[in-house]
Amino acid sequence: MITSQDVQFYKENGYLLVKGVFSQPEVLEMRESVECIIQRAARAKADANHAWQGDFLPPDQLKKLVLKGFHDVHYHDAAFTRAATHPNMVSVLNGIIGPNVQLHHSKMLVKPPANGAAFPMHQDYPYFPHRDHSMLAASVHLDDADMENGCLCVVPGSHKQGPIPHIGVHYLNHKEHPISSGTPCPAGAGDVLFFNYLTIHGSDVNRSERTRRNVLFQYRDAADLPTENVHFDWGMGLMVSGENPDFNNVKPNYRIVEE
Ligand SMILES: O=C(O)CCC(=O)C(=O)O
């Protein structure tokens, strides 16, 4: 699915857009699954606005923004388990990460028309730091995305700086790192943007009349280990390719909720 030049591009720039990873029927199936999850969450009264807060926009603009965001979508609908382990996806992951690849977590991010929330620029590293920095996001586009409907923007080569200080865990100072400092990555439905968890990225408000739906899978090399006891999710550690070299370390540290 990718060439050695693509792998070199990822190493240099910290990201890679791969066209046509998913077919249009597969995209349609995932769109339906996204819609079902939104409806089931609403029925279960688990529907919330997940728009990021902060001071990158005036408060009156910020409070209008909406994001439908749900984690671990592969635990809600098997379409996402198929997507996480799709042969085209795995082929790219093998080129970038290596033979042994694990799923870390999944989530869906739906930016509705006109007021779909922005993501101020940030690295994903502070959320789930790892020793070898193999962790990457594979953001699957379920709609054509451009700057008008809030496509992803990345800062090429920023992963080479290593971890940089964030405000809280969440995002970078927007005056030093405005969303406009990123390179827009317009993409079509079925395309996947791969980016390392150290690559600075974000996305602007969806000001268009079109929805922007993405499903994001986070993957790591099976030999890469977390350096902090944070962000353990159900389904974490699923092998999507190869074998786990660490026989004694396969179970995440789940928190059991007592009734
Ligand atoms: O999908 C987007 O627009 C940004 C998502 C993002 O930055 C994240 O989940 O860390």
Side-chain angles (χ1 to χ4, degrees), residues 71-72 104-107 124-130 135 169 218 220 226 228-234 236 252-254:
H71 271 79
D72 298 321
H104 186 265
H105 69 273
S106 67
K107 61 183 178 186
D124 287 336
Y125 167 87
Y127 290 92
F128 29 81
H130 276 60
M135 187 81 77
V169 177
Q218 203 78 232
R220 67 181 171 205
E228 280 179 43
N229 191 2
V230 287
H231 206 304
F232 285 99
D233 280 352
W234 299 101
M236 173 176 290
N253 188 7
Y254 295 129

Side-chain angles (χ1 to χ4, degrees), residues 52 107 109 111 117 119-120 122 124 127 139 150-152 195 201-204 212 214 216 218:
W52 282 24
K107 61 183 178 186
L109 302 162
K111 290 185 181 189
F119 284 82
H122 63 282
D124 287 336
Y127 290 92
S139 186
C151 70
L152 273 150
F195 56 93
H201 63 282
S203 63
D204 214 334
R212 198 224 70 176
N214 282 53
L216 189 150
Q218 203 78 232

Side-chain angles (χ1 to χ4, degrees), residues 57-195:
L57 282 175
D60 60 318
Q61 287 185 40
L62 208 57
K63 70 172 189 254
K64 290 184 191 148
L65 299 183
V66 176
L67 179 79
K68 299 277 176 198
F70 295 101
H71 271 79
D72 298 321
V73 287
H74 59 292
Y75 266 77
H76 291 283
D77 195 307
F80 300 115
T81 315
R82 286 192 284 281
T85 57
H86 193 289
N88 290 344
M89 186 78 115
V90 170
S91 160
V92 178
L93 293 168
N94 289 155
I96 298 178
I97 293 180
N100 303 325
V101 182
Q102 277 182 338
L103 181 68
H104 186 265
H105 69 273
S106 67
K107 61 183 178 186
M108 62 183 237
L109 302 162
V110 177
K111 290 185 181 189
N115 59 354
F119 284 82
M121 300 304 269
H122 63 282
Q123 297 176 316
D124 287 336
Y125 167 87
Y127 290 92
F128 29 81
H130 276 60
R131 187 190 58 195
D132 305 330
H133 306 318
S134 67
M135 187 81 77
L136 61 74
S139 186
V140 180
H141 293 76
L142 302 185
D143 295 291
D144 294 349
D146 52 30
M147 274 311 275
E148 278 194 347
N149 66 347
C151 70
L152 273 150
C153 301
V154 298
V155 178
S158 52
H159 63 305
K160 290 186 175 169
Q161 296 172 62
I164 54 178
H166 283 58
I167 298 172
V169 177
H170 301 291
Y171 43 80
L172 296 165
N173 180 330
H174 71 93
K175 295 196 178 98
E176 287 165 35
H177 301 273
I179 294 172
S180 58
S181 64
T183 300
C185 298
D191 298 347
V192 181
L193 184 71
F194 295 83
F195 56 93

Side-chain angles (χ1 to χ4, degrees), residues 218-229:
Q218 203 78 232
Y219 299 99
R220 67 181 171 205
D221 187 321
D224 199 355
L225 295 174
T227 55
E228 280 179 43
N229 191 2

